[in-house]
């Protein structure tokens, strides 16, 4: 598999997740899923074995009525920002 194909597959996966969330009423002005994927596709494809550890919740928060809210961002893009690497919550995964 090449990097372009993997990126396309990740985008397709995110679109399917968002489409399913819409069908279930979990995608609206207050709530969108947090999607995921490979952060550094080139390095991932060079590695052996290819291991991916995913540990997250599907939304950012729960509102006062217990309804999921937040989201609308992609976990794989989070690590492009320095602050994610400095966050202690991510240290065991990193």
């Amino acid at each position: 598999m090449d990097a372009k194909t993997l990126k396309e597959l990740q985008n397709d996966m995110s679109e399917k997740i968002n489409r399913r969330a819409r069908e279930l009423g979990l995608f609206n002005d207050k709530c969108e899923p947090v999607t995921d994927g490979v952060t550094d596709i080139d390095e991932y494809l060079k590695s052996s074995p290819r291991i991916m550890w995913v540990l997250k919740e599907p939304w950012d928060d729960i509102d006062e009525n217990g309804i999921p809210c937040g989201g609308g961002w992609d976990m794989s893009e989070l690590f492009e920002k320095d602050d994610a690497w400095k966050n202690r919550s991510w240290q065991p995964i990193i």
Side-chain angles (χ1 to χ4, degrees), residues 31-71:
C31 179
E32 296 179 39
V34 174
T35 55
D36 208 338
V38 177
T39 300
D40 189 333
I41 290 175
D42 291 326
E43 289 300 316
Y44 178 76
L45 292 174
K46 286 188 231 176
S47 68
S48 178
R50 293 183 184 146
I51 299 171
M52 191 160 119
W53 182 1
V54 179
L55 179 62
K56 65 178 181 66
E57 296 295 329
W59 296 280
D60 286 335
D61 208 355
I62 303 292
D63 73 11
E64 63 277 355
N65 299 315
I67 298 171
C69 61

Side-chain angles (χ1 to χ4, degrees), residues 14-26:
S14 292
E15 288 173 17
K16 287 178 182 177
I17 290 168
N18 289 330
R19 185 171 40 249
R20 183 68 177 145
R22 282 185 188 94
E23 291 170 2
L24 296 173
L26 299 171

Side-chain angles (χ1 to χ4, degrees), residues 65-91:
N65 299 315
I67 298 171
C69 61
W73 50 275
D74 188 296
M75 185 70 75
S76 65
E77 295 172 0
L78 180 68
F79 288 94
E80 292 175 3
K81 301 174 184 171
D82 286 342
D83 59 343
W85 292 102
K86 295 174 185 171
N87 186 320
R88 289 178 51 96
S89 298
W90 290 104
Q91 293 305 309

